[in-house]
Amino acid sequence: MSRPLRLPQSSRIQSAAVIGNHLPRQCGIATFTTDLVQSINDVAGAGTAWTVAMNDRPEGYDYPPAVRFEINSHRLEEYRLAAEFINIHQPDVVSLQHEYGIFGGPAGSHVLSLLDDLQAPVVTTLHTVLTEPAPDYRKVLLRLVERSDRLVVMSHRAVDILESVYGVDRGRVVYIPHGIPDMPFVDPNYYKEQFGLLGRRVLLTFGLLSQNKGIETVIDALPAVVERFPDVVYIVLGATHPNVLRHEGERYRLGLQQRVRRLGLEGHVLFQNRFVTLEELCEYLAAADIYITPYLNAAQITSGTLAYAMGTGKAVVSTPYWYAEEMLADDRGVLVPFKDPDAMGRALIELLGDDTRRHAIRKRAYDFCRQAVWREVAARYLDVFAEVKAERSQRPRPAKPSPRLARQNALPELPAIKLDHLLALTDDAGMLQHAKYTVPDRHHGYCTDDNARALIVAAQARRLLPEHAAALDRLCDRYLAFLWHAFDAERGRFRNFLGYDRRWLEEEGSEDSHGRALWGLGVAVSLLADGRQLPHASTLFKAALPAAERFTALRATAFALLGIDAYLATFSGDSEARRMRAVLAEGLYARFEKTRDPAWPWPEPVLTYDNPRLAQALIVSGPWMGRDDITARGLAALEWLVELCFEGDRFVPIGCHGWYPKGGVRARFDQQPLEAQAMVDACISAYRLTGRRPWLQRALDAFNWFLGQNDLNLPLYDDATGGCRDGLQPDGVNQNQGAESTLAWLLSLTALHRFSADQVLSENRAAEEVP
């Protein structure tokens, strides 16, 4: 029976929006959300609960009517549209099913923009609670806590962790057990016949297959079990997790099957590689004598599979992850050490050989879980929903600022990151320099400049598109391999140009190419700090860094400083990198200081290419050196460039046909994409430092140059290919889509996507506009 609602009629729930994954998407959160919505509707009336579903692929899924809105998890703007949709429909409460990996943005931060815009009270169910969160994950959870009226957890240990690790008031946390189907307590033999297993002892593990499941521990334990009970069969039920299948294929399942053959267990292990319906799952559970969860990691705060097994009255053998320790206490199951096949085998043999104990454990587990049948769980959720609704009516949240004010630092919707043309220009050696129209042109081979920039794009995209992490890791590997091959360890310098025949065309590349390589490697160290490429990138960065001290080219110095700044974000204590930053920044600053003409505050007699990089290098270096004078000089130089290169909101870079000599005529064409990209990056750096809105607006204006806000009102970005045309000429656009132009577009786009995600993640919004 469901718990009666004790609140006034006015607090009863008429409508609840539930945000999470939903069947037919295949994952545990989808199953949980689907069951919760259905159970609330069974208890409170049809249509009470409805779903806002998270999609991990653009085409979505064939959802049932309960799903009223869908969000592409990696498009930030769709979270804001979902909030608007929810607000229009005015639910009494919003129930967020939070799990890491189902929301986009760094640490899943995109969902915060949705919560910030909601008008209804929010009840957040935490399916994972980390004890040692990385800084971004901690920040996201604290923002979730701040924005939620209640937190729901499915284990008592999670309550303790929230209090001790995150400082959450226990009074805001509610324990509600994981819901389970309401199954009768039956003799397994009743269901074995339909599977052809009558007369056999059945062991079962189910769930989406992935390497953390520990199935190999059970397989390794089986020979001893089979020797004692030759009729034993172990069923591994469930499809490979879609994300695992996408990135790794069936490698884990195939490895398990090879293990079974090697141990001669073919007649004792059955793999059912499919996602089963609830009805099928309950039948498999009913047929099992023992259920096994051999997980490898202790830090698991809930397990729907364990809850389902206990709820159907199964004797359970499990490793001691946190949820299992709590659920199987008081002899409701048997715990064995992690990765210990011998202990697993002994526990299975003991339970299979002791019918009395096994049935007693079954009964204790079944009785304990009666409180967790879905109807009871739905009633508990409705109680919590009604409580927060009543509280909100007594203590309403202050009205939010208007959208214009609330989002003064937010960006408009950005184009999606499309890497098709990047991939078209990339072969097994690296990224080709040029293209004839959209077709790669092999005549000119490759260069270090482009592969360093391509490494930044791949690393940025890996952070922004986690669903493509495996493919982007391979791209990072390819561009890193090119840079390693380009580096001449004896000279301590990079070569730049490589022919398509894989022969170097020079013994030593330009200083600019070396500086860009340091830039790419430094950013890779920063963005791939948790990846396998970190030792590779950091070692090469350190090997290449000493040459920068001998640079005479200012842009090479600037790129080296940008690389050092990114590198030190990960290895902040590296003394040599810190010393090199001081030397290079002081040298660049000194060149600016020699300029005495206020009408030409520039360290060169001609404005050429990538000019904003010089200013950006000073802007990012000064604060870390405690040198306000260096920072101020960088901001002043960038302000001067902005005055030169903008006409209203239109970006007009220095043309490459003649440049702009001091006292001479400024060239207006050809306008190159790398100029827009340099301005985007520099203005974002200035905005991050100062919080002044005009810098962000100038970054957007420079970005819009790619989209047609330019002298000819013609777009350079090609949405069909994902590439960028090679420049703006007096009579139109250069239709070739080479590496430099395409990379300039992608670097600008990923920089703004990353900035937008960081803005959502940041607890403290940037400062208001300074007059």
Side-chain angles (χ1 to χ4, degrees):
M1 296 294 292
S2 62
R3 290 175 51 191
L5 300 178
R6 304 179 183 84
L7 294 161
Q9 183 69 33
S10 60
S11 294
R12 305 281 174 89
I13 298 301
Q14 305 298 317
S15 176
V18 183
I19 303 170
N21 300 347
H22 197 286
L23 295 176
R25 181 173 174 179
Q26 296 181 4
C27 71
I29 301 300
T31 301
F32 184 94
T33 303
T34 303
D35 289 343
L36 177 62
V37 168
Q38 181 60 55
S39 300
I40 289 173
N41 289 335
D42 289 344
V43 172
T48 299
W50 46 277
T51 304
V52 174
M54 304 304 304
N55 287 332
D56 60 347
R57 60 189 193 188
E59 67 272 25
Y61 297 86
D62 184 17
Y63 289 117
V67 175
R68 298 188 188 177
F69 196 89
E70 302 171 40
I71 301 173
N72 182 328
S73 63
H74 300 291
R75 292 185 64 83
L76 179 60
E77 184 62 23
E78 294 196 14
Y79 290 82
R80 294 168 180 152
L81 293 174
E84 185 174 348
F85 179 88
I86 293 170
N87 289 339
I88 289 171
H89 287 77
Q90 298 182 320
D92 296 315
V93 68
V94 173
S95 172
L96 174 68
Q97 304 306 311
H98 182 267
E99 178 62 287
Y100 295 106
I102 71 172
F103 302 110
S109 57
H110 282 359
V111 73
L112 299 176
S113 67
L114 189 161
L115 298 182
D116 285 343
D117 287 349
L118 289 178
Q119 296 169 355
V122 176
V123 175
T124 296
T125 301
L126 299 174
H127 291 259
T128 295
V129 183
L130 302 174
T131 54
E132 297 179 354
D136 282 358
Y137 287 87
R138 180 182 182 84
K139 193 176 291 186
V140 167
L141 192 130
L142 290 174
R143 286 282 304 280
L144 282 172
V145 171
E146 175 188 328
R147 190 60 189 85
S148 301
D149 296 74
R150 284 289 192 287
L151 301 171
V152 174
V153 295
M154 289 171 273
S155 72
H156 296 288
R157 183 160 190 165
V159 181
D160 297 334
I161 294 171
L162 286 171
E163 181 181 48
S164 61
V165 176
Y166 299 93
V168 178
D169 180 358
R170 299 176 74 94
R172 299 185 60 202
V173 186
V174 180
Y175 166 77
I176 300 179
H178 192 296
I180 58 172
D182 190 359
M183 287 283 292
F185 188 75
V186 298
D187 184 340
N189 291 313
Y190 181 81
Y191 282 90
K192 287 180 182 180
E193 185 173 5
Q194 71 186 71
F195 294 112
L197 298 173
L198 193 61
R200 301 196 69 173
R201 292 173 170 87
V202 178
L203 314 177
L204 175 68
T205 295
F206 82 88
L208 294 173
L209 207 61
S210 59
Q211 289 192 9
N212 65 339
K213 299 298 184 183
I215 307 298
E216 60 273 16
T217 302
V218 184
I219 293 174
D220 289 345
L222 278 182
V225 180
V226 170
E227 183 178 358
R228 176 70 177 81
F229 300 103
D231 58 354
V232 158
V233 60
Y234 177 40
I235 300 175
V236 181
L237 176 64
T240 299
H241 196 291
N243 289 339
V244 174
L245 193 62
R246 188 180 302 127
H247 298 142
E248 302 176 13
E250 291 284 12
R251 183 172 61 186
Y252 180 57
R253 183 184 297 275
L254 292 173
L256 294 176
Q257 291 172 340
Q258 291 172 0
R259 206 180 201 104
V260 167
R261 287 192 292 271
R262 188 168 64 249
L263 294 173
L265 296 171
E266 292 94 329
H268 299 278
V269 181
L270 300 178
F271 290 93
Q272 296 291 335
N273 185 8
R274 59 196 181 91
F275 189 82
V276 296
T277 65
L278 177 61
E279 181 180 358
E280 290 177 295
L281 172 59
C282 290
E283 290 173 350
Y284 272 103
L285 281 168
D289 294 292
I290 297 176
Y291 184 76
I292 309 171
T293 57
Y295 301 160
L296 303 179
N297 183 10
Q300 184 163 334
I301 210 68
T302 189
S303 168
T305 64
L306 177 59
Y308 274 39
M310 294 179 68
T312 51
K314 297 296 103 179
V316 176
V317 176
S318 176
T319 50
Y321 56 93
W322 296 337
Y323 188 68
E325 285 184 320
E326 185 171 314
M327 293 291 287
L328 301 180
D330 300 326
D331 205 22
R332 292 189 292 268
V334 177
L335 295 174
V336 298
F338 294 106
K339 301 180 183 179
D340 190 337
D342 292 339
M344 176 69 71
R346 288 193 299 271
L348 293 172
I349 291 169
E350 181 180 338
L351 276 184
L352 289 172
D354 189 341
D355 291 348
T356 301
R357 185 181 178 213
R358 188 173 72 252
H359 292 313
I361 289 174
R362 289 183 59 214
K363 187 63 167 61
R364 281 191 289 271
Y366 184 83
D367 291 343
F368 178 76
C369 288
R370 288 303 83 204
Q371 61 177 323
V373 296
W374 269 116
R375 184 175 181 85
E376 293 292 329
V377 167
R380 294 281 300 279
Y381 269 94
L382 285 165
D383 280 351
V384 175
F385 294 169
E387 289 170 6
V388 299
K389 178 186 175 184
E391 290 173 4
R392 182 65 69 88
S393 68
Q394 298 298 317
R395 296 188 297 275
R397 288 183 182 271
K400 293 191 65 179
S402 69
R404 184 185 68 81
L405 292 175
R407 296 202 184 125
Q408 69 168 352
N409 300 316
L411 297 181
E413 182 176 7
L414 296 165
I417 299 170
K418 186 174 184 178
L419 300 177
D420 297 29
H421 196 55
L422 176 85
L423 295 172
L425 290 171
T426 299
D427 63 15
D428 62 326
M431 190 172 191
L432 291 158
Q433 290 188 76
H434 295 292
K436 288 291 187 182
Y437 297 99
T438 61
V439 178
D441 181 358
R442 296 172 176 171
H443 289 91
H444 301 281
Y446 317 81
C447 70
T448 293
D449 281 318
D450 290 335
N451 281 273
R453 289 180 283 214
L455 176 59
I456 297 176
V457 169
Q460 292 267 41
R462 187 186 181 279
R463 175 168 177 161
L464 295 164
L465 303 172
E467 74 275 23
H468 299 303
L472 290 165
D473 270 336
R474 290 192 291 272
L475 271 184
C476 290
D477 291 346
R478 193 160 302 174
Y479 302 135
L480 273 171
F482 185 97
L483 295 180
W484 262 111
H485 185 49
F487 187 65
D488 183 339
E490 290 185 4
R491 294 174 179 268
R493 289 291 300 273
F494 287 96
R495 291 161 290 204
N496 193 18
F497 296 110
L498 179 70
Y500 189 70
D501 60 1
R502 308 305 198 265
R503 290 187 295 180
W504 289 105
L505 305 180
E506 59 194 354
E507 292 185 354
E508 186 175 294
S510 66
E511 289 186 359
D512 275 15
S513 66
H514 195 106
R516 288 195 181 95
L518 287 170
W519 176 41
L521 290 166
V523 173
V525 168
S526 173
L527 295 179
L528 303 176
D530 61 344
R532 54 184 167 77
Q533 299 94 346
L534 179 61
H536 191 149
S538 59
T539 300
L540 185 54
F541 178 88
K542 290 301 296 291
L545 185 59
E549 196 164 3
R550 300 185 295 274
F551 285 170
T552 58
L554 297 185
R555 282 152 193 80
T557 298
F559 280 115
L561 281 168
L562 295 176
I564 292 170
D565 181 70
Y567 172 87
L568 287 172
T570 297
F571 296 113
S572 59
D574 189 314
S575 299
E576 178 58 19
R578 291 162 67 95
R579 185 193 71 81
M580 188 68 75
R581 176 169 60 188
V583 169
L584 298 183
E586 287 277 11
L588 183 57
Y589 174 70
R591 291 289 298 272
F592 272 93
E593 280 294 283
K594 290 180 181 179
T595 302
R596 299 300 181 187
D597 185 352
W600 190 267
W602 196 251
E604 301 169 307
V606 181
L607 277 173
T608 56
Y609 60 94
D610 261 338
N611 300 305
R613 295 298 185 185
L614 277 64
Q616 183 189 8
L618 296 178
I619 290 168
V620 302
S621 300
W624 295 104
M625 297 168 61
R627 291 288 301 276
D628 292 344
D629 53 342
I630 290 178
T631 305
R633 175 62 77 172
L635 290 170
L638 187 57
E639 286 175 352
W640 183 69
L641 290 174
V642 164
E643 290 178 7
L644 286 177
C645 295
F646 285 91
E647 295 178 2
D649 61 0
R650 188 168 72 251
F651 178 59
V652 186
I654 306 298
C656 66
H657 288 170
W659 303 118
Y660 184 15
K662 181 179 179 180
V665 177
R666 167 184 167 172
R668 198 168 185 100
F669 294 99
D670 289 354
Q671 298 177 17
Q672 298 297 305
L674 67 85
E675 307 298 344
Q677 197 265 314
M679 186 62 76
V680 168
D681 267 5
C683 289
I684 288 176
S685 293
Y687 178 75
R688 288 186 185 277
L689 178 66
T690 67
R692 294 188 62 205
R693 172 73 182 181
W695 289 123
L696 180 57
Q697 187 58 57
R698 287 310 187 191
L700 293 173
D701 291 340
F703 178 77
N704 286 334
W705 179 90
F706 290 101
L707 303 177
Q709 188 174 293
N710 53 49
D711 276 346
L712 302 184
N713 293 326
L714 293 174
L716 286 92
Y717 169 55
D718 183 351
D719 183 60
T721 66
C724 180
R725 300 172 178 92
D726 275 355
L728 199 65
Q729 302 168 331
D731 56 352
V733 296
N734 183 331
Q735 294 295 333
N736 296 328
Q737 296 182 18
E740 181 178 88
S741 302
T742 295
L743 290 167
W745 158 256
L746 289 171
L747 286 166
S748 301
L749 180 63
T750 54
L752 286 171
H753 271 285
R754 183 182 174 195
F755 172 82
S756 184
D758 289 346
Q759 286 296 103
V760 172
L761 181 60
S762 176
E763 290 180 350
N764 300 311
R765 298 297 182 184
E768 295 182 359
E769 178 180 346
V770 178

